[in-house]
Amino acid sequence: TAHCGDSRRYLVRNAAVLSRTVDHSVAEWKDSILLANGQAAASKHMLYSCLGAPRQPVIEVNNPIALEVGDRLLLCSDGLWGNLEEDQIIDSLTAYPVTEAANELLDLALQHGGTHCDNVTLIVVAWEKADNLSLA
């Protein structure tokens, strides 16, 4: 998987997160990015890498994972993962067919985000064919 920015990819297998990307924000680096006076370097929501920025992005590349029948993949913006607990994401992905899961996650994120909710973008995929394919 190649990843950059604050969107995330979740791979859910057997009602558990097998893998997920980590966003490239200061919040994820807050313990390692400190100024000499011990204060956080910037807002926790500030991205240190993303596509479209003036400097070249840091592209994180992970090892391939072989997909199995029943795996669920979720690609989503921070408007979704930032407003939901991981357990809510797992529950929705495993309790419903993909179309219903996507609608459920969208509704939950918008409800939890309230009137100031960030944009919520997502796609949910269920792996249903037993081929030799890896998430690369």
Side-chain angles (χ1 to χ4, degrees), residues 2 6 13 15-16 28 36 49 56-57 60 65 74 78 80 87 96-97 99-100 108 112 115 119-120 126 130:
D6 61 355
R13 178 180 293 162
E28 293 293 335
S49 181
Q56 184 157 350
E60 185 177 332
I65 299 171
L74 167 66
D78 59 338
L80 187 124
D87 287 345
Y96 303 105
T99 303
E100 292 174 39
L108 287 171
H112 290 211
T115 57
N119 70 322
V120 179

Side-chain angles (χ1 to χ4, degrees), residues 1-5 24 48-52 55-62:
T1 306
H3 169 71
C4 181
H24 295 147
Y48 63 83
S49 181
C50 65
L51 298 178
R55 63 181 182 202
Q56 184 157 350
V58 174
I59 306 292
E60 185 177 332
V61 179
N62 303 103

Side-chain angles (χ1 to χ4, degrees), residues 30-102:
K30 67 182 176 182
D31 293 332
S32 60
I33 301 178
L34 296 175
L35 298 175
N37 65 4
Q39 298 297 312
S43 165
K44 68 179 187 172
H45 300 291
M46 177 181 253
L47 293 174
Y48 63 83
S49 181
C50 65
L51 298 178
R55 63 181 182 202
Q56 184 157 350
V58 174
I59 306 292
E60 185 177 332
V61 179
N62 303 103
N63 292 328
I65 299 171
L67 296 175
E68 296 180 4
V69 173
D71 284 353
R72 298 291 174 102
L73 297 166
L74 167 66
L75 305 175
C76 63
S77 65
D78 59 338
L80 187 124
W81 64 258
N83 288 313
L84 299 180
E85 297 295 325
E86 196 164 272
D87 287 345
Q88 293 172 295
I89 293 171
I90 294 167
D91 290 347
S92 293
L93 288 175
T94 56
Y96 303 105
V98 290
T99 303
E100 292 174 39

Side-chain angles (χ1 to χ4, degrees), residues 11-16 18 65-73 93-94 98 125-135:
L11 171 54
V12 175
R13 178 180 293 162
N14 300 322
L18 182 63
I65 299 171
L67 296 175
E68 296 180 4
V69 173
D71 284 353
R72 298 291 174 102
L73 297 166
L93 288 175
T94 56
V98 290
V125 176
W127 188 251
E128 296 181 348
K129 190 173 180 187
D131 273 349
N132 227 0
L133 183 73
S134 294
L135 180 62

